Amino acid sequence: MADINEVMEVWGDYISTIDDWELMVKGIEPKVGGCGLVYEVPNPIDRPQESFAIADMRQLELSEPHSHANGEVEIYFIIAGVGKIAVEGENIQDLSPGARIYTPSGKFHITLPGEGLVMAVVNTPPFNLDNYIPLSPDEESVASAITDLKAA
């Protein structure tokens, strides 16, 4: 498994150099899903053990609650806007430019976008749809997390 601190440092250094995320994704067809418009960007820093995407959550009211299986972790780097995230329904954090959020494998997470939320997303190992586990917002623990997130 990758050293998460190293992954966050290396990608954080790269992401801090992004001046215009919209220019970066120009010509890439976004996937529409539970995390808004997701632009899968070819890995810009030659780290084949990780994948990189831009998630444009500006038109989203609430992300799809989900987790990742088989050791896949997700790291969010906020590049624009504000919002809140709940990881496993307990750890509610504010999101603003420069924030870095680590979501461990097997722990569900939900994002409540505020105004203009856009994030860079790094998965290690690389994102695999088979590892993406959507959760119903009606599940008791998820519903409780959503309520807490909206109240925070």
Side-chain angles (χ1 to χ4, degrees):
M1 179 162 155
D3 176 341
I4 296 305
N5 290 325
E6 177 201 0
V7 172
M8 290 178 77
E9 181 179 337
V10 169
W11 280 102
D13 288 347
Y14 168 74
I15 290 162
S16 71
T17 69
I18 298 172
D19 292 325
D20 185 344
W21 71 267
E22 290 177 295
L23 184 60
M24 172 182 270
V25 301
K26 188 174 183 170
I28 299 174
E29 187 68 31
K31 294 184 176 181
V32 179
C35 294
L37 300 176
V38 177
Y39 299 86
E40 294 177 340
V41 178
N43 195 314
I45 60 173
D46 192 31
R47 289 186 58 98
Q49 69 277 24
E50 297 139 14
S51 60
F52 179 72
I54 300 291
D56 179 356
M57 303 180 100
R58 294 178 295 174
Q59 303 301 319
L60 198 61
E61 289 185 35
L62 184 70
S63 74
E64 177 177 59
H66 68 278
S67 66
H68 300 269
N70 299 317
E72 186 177 316
V73 301
E74 196 163 57
I75 305 166
Y76 298 144
F77 298 84
I78 309 310
I79 56 178
V82 296
K84 295 186 183 299
I85 187 170
V87 178
E88 199 64 16
E90 301 169 358
N91 187 6
I92 296 176
Q93 299 176 55
D94 290 324
L95 304 176
S96 61
R100 300 173 181 187
I101 308 298
Y102 165 71
T103 61
S105 184
K107 303 289 185 180
F108 78 85
H109 43 283
I110 311 162
T111 303
L112 177 64
E115 186 173 334
L117 185 61
V118 178
M119 60 179 74
V121 181
V122 173
N123 288 71
T124 183
F127 180 79
N128 179 340
L129 188 57
D130 291 338
N131 291 335
Y132 183 90
I133 313 296
L135 302 170
S136 169
D138 297 328
E139 291 181 38
E140 186 177 335
S141 61
V142 175
S144 176
I146 292 170
T147 299
D148 293 347
L149 187 59
K150 289 180 175 180

